[in-house]
Every structure is written in C-alpha cells, then in structure tokens.
Amino acid sequence: MNNHDELEKLIDEKQFQLLRSGVTEVNSADVAAMIEKLSAEKAVLLFRVLPKDYAAEVFADLYSDTQKSLIERLSDAEIFDVIEELFLDDAVDFIEEMPATIANKVLNRATKETRERINRFLKYPENSAGTKMTVEYINLKKDMTVAEAFDRIRNVGSTIETIYTCYVTDSMRMLKGVVTVKDLLLSNLEQVIGDIMDTNLIITHTDTDQEEVARLFEKYDLLNIPVTDSENRLVGIITVDDVIDVVQEEATEDFQIMAAMTPSDKPYLKTNVARLAKNRITWLIFLMVAAMITGGILETFEEAIAAVPLLVVFIPMLMDTGGNSGAQSSTMIIRGIALDEIKPRDIIKIIWKETRVGLLVGGILSGINFLRIWLTYGSNTDVFRVAFVVSSTLLFTVILANVVGGILPLIAKKCKIDPAVMAAPLITTVVDASSLLVFFTIAKILLKI
C-alpha cells in the first residue's frame, strides 16, 4: 500500500484490520513517510493499528516534530510500548530532540532499567560516539565453540540491532576480538572462537566526535564499530545506518553555514516562517554591516570615480570574480578538512599552492579582460591605462581571494570553529574591500587622479 489517498480512505472508513494488514507489508521508512503527510489525528490512528515492534521501527524514522505530536496524543501504555520497543540509540536520539516536558513524560513511563540506560547515554558529550552507539550487540567468549556461539545468537538475536558482527570479550568486558557470522558459518561447529576471531580491531571511544567516527567508517569500509569507555571496556557499537544519519546531518549543517544561515535540522516545509527568518537574519545583519566597509572605500575614492567614471563599470566584475574565486578555494579546503586530508599545519603549503593557482587563473582572466577593454573602448593611451589598472587589479584579486579562501577555514579549524563559517559570505566581504582598495590605489597612481 503506497497510495496516500487509499490510506486516508481506509482511515476515514475505520477499516483498521485491513489497514493493519496492508501497512505492515510496506517498509517502515515508507510508512513513516506516509504518516508525515497525514493530519495529527489521522497519524495517531494509523500509528495505533501498527504492531508494537513494527510501530517502534516506524517511530524511529519519523521527524522529531511528528514524534512529539504522536507522544502528546498517545496513552501512557502506548508510550511505554514505544520507548521499550525502540533500540536504545534510537530512544536516546528521540529523548535528546524532545522538549524537557515531553522527555520527562516519556522517561517517567519507561521501566527503571530503560530509564537508567537512557540517562547514562545522555551524560556523554553532545554529538559524540557515546550518544550514537547502541548497547544491543552480540558478545561472545574466547572459549566458546562455534556451536555455542550460534546458540547464543539464536537466543538473543531477536532483540539485537545487528547480528552480523559479534564481539569477543572477557569477564571484565575488555574487547579481545571480533568474529562475523560469515566466519562462524565457514568454520566447524567444534572450533573455538578464540582460534577464528580477528584481533586486528578498529575501535572508537565514547567521547570521540561523530565526524571522526564517520571518517573511520569511510576509511575502513565498516558496517559497525565497537565503542569503548575510558577504561577500554566495550560499552556499545555504532552501526552504519547511524553513521549515514551523521553524514547527512553534518553535510546539511555545513551547507547552511556556508550560505550564512543558522543550522537547523528541521525539514524546510515543516519549519515556520519565523524560524526561517531567525535562522537567516543574524548573518545577514553581520554581512550588511561588513558590506558598509565597501561603501566607505567607494566614498573615500569619490574624486577618482568622478575623474574617471569608466572605473565604476568594472567594480561589479572585480568583486564578483574575487568572491567566486574565494568560494572555489574555500570549498576545496573545507572538503579536505572534512575528509581529514588537510590539517591546520598545512597552511604554508596551502598558501603556496593557492598563490600559484591564483597566478595561473588570474593571469588568464586578466589577459582576457585586457583584450576585452582594449577592443570595446578603443585603442588609445587612456584606455590602455584603464585596461592595465583593471587587469592588474583582477590578477591581485584572484590571488588574494584564493589565498584568503584557503587559509580562513584552516584558521577556523585551529580555533575550533566550524570551517564552514569562514565560507563564501565572509570571504567575499574581505576580498571585496581589499580589491577595491588596490583598484583605486593603482588607478590614482597610473591615471594620475
């Protein structure tokens, strides 16, 4: 059942049995997408007909606003079923997103054990591996046989998020090795786990930043990764589906910051106008004030503009080219930082490389621009001088923009600021002011104005 109209019709006609049988044949993510399109009243009716374990899967795929709306309408017993059926990492993500009143309402209806486990997770640093991990994993012992390992997987596998990778621990929960279901299937039932486990482990720690965790997944092509505490005891695992969410969150945040907006994890169509305006206005005010510097420079050189009005024609081209060059440079550097290919210590290498790129690109642009001015405005001495002023300024602007666009993200990284903050808008402001100063300074000297 993928038809939204058919779904609403069954809800309106209260054909709940047919609705239940039809919906449970659909992937939980698709059902969540259907619920997002329904009114709050119809959404809760559909949610109530879902089997408990399936309802938890659907709930985990909903946006936080929809989750909040459902919780406000569900009974205490239904809330209990939701929180107890959710995998722990999904439950923690849900609690973190909710207002305090909703979070307390849910936690008060959970069992004491679930409440303690969730509260333990909430003590980890925000956006750390500890908040993204799940404690539902298969742990084995070194002296187990393969047959005993299969028995354990069968006994606990139904409550575990993933059973493909099993972790071998000792009595103190120290991680000793890892074994996959593939390893077990290809081994004799009498073989001991200690003989077939892999001891070459890739691990992370509870306080590791989620971006670093995502890089480990990409570097080593992992499906999951074990998480250890400060005493190197295994406390949980992070699965690839959670990392995909992290990558999406980080990419969205960087994209919004680079566009000079306050980051928001809410979908555009679910965000009200006031919130959208609030997310944009702070940076726009800052950039508007910063742009006044450009206006001040133009005012300073008012006499030069009056003497050679033709100079004004080239200001937009210089500013736009500088902004675009800086944006290209910063985008490459931010990407390199995100992929851990570039470190703040590489700043000298970046300056040297971007200077050479700027010389090459700026030289080509300047040459094209010189010919355009020469052919457009005539081949006399005055036009030659103007063409030289504009072209030399353009060369300087491109070099400066490339270097500034390359080093500002590195400076931000060194200062523990998101490098995306130093992206297009801020770079453009810096380069615009610098290029205008150079432009009119060279013009006053060469044109004698």
Side-chain angles (χ1 to χ4, degrees), residues 186-205:
L186 296 177
S187 302
N188 295 324
L189 295 177
E190 296 77 20
Q191 279 190 278
V192 177
I193 296 299
D195 295 336
I196 63 173
M197 70 181 187
D198 185 1
T199 56
N200 184 23
L201 302 173
I202 307 298
I203 64 173
T204 190
H205 301 281

Side-chain angles (χ1 to χ4, degrees), residues 27-30 32-33 36 56-63 67:
N27 186 281
S28 61
D30 293 327
E36 294 288 352
E57 293 180 34
V58 172
F59 189 85
D61 288 325
L62 295 171
Y63 288 116
Q67 290 178 333

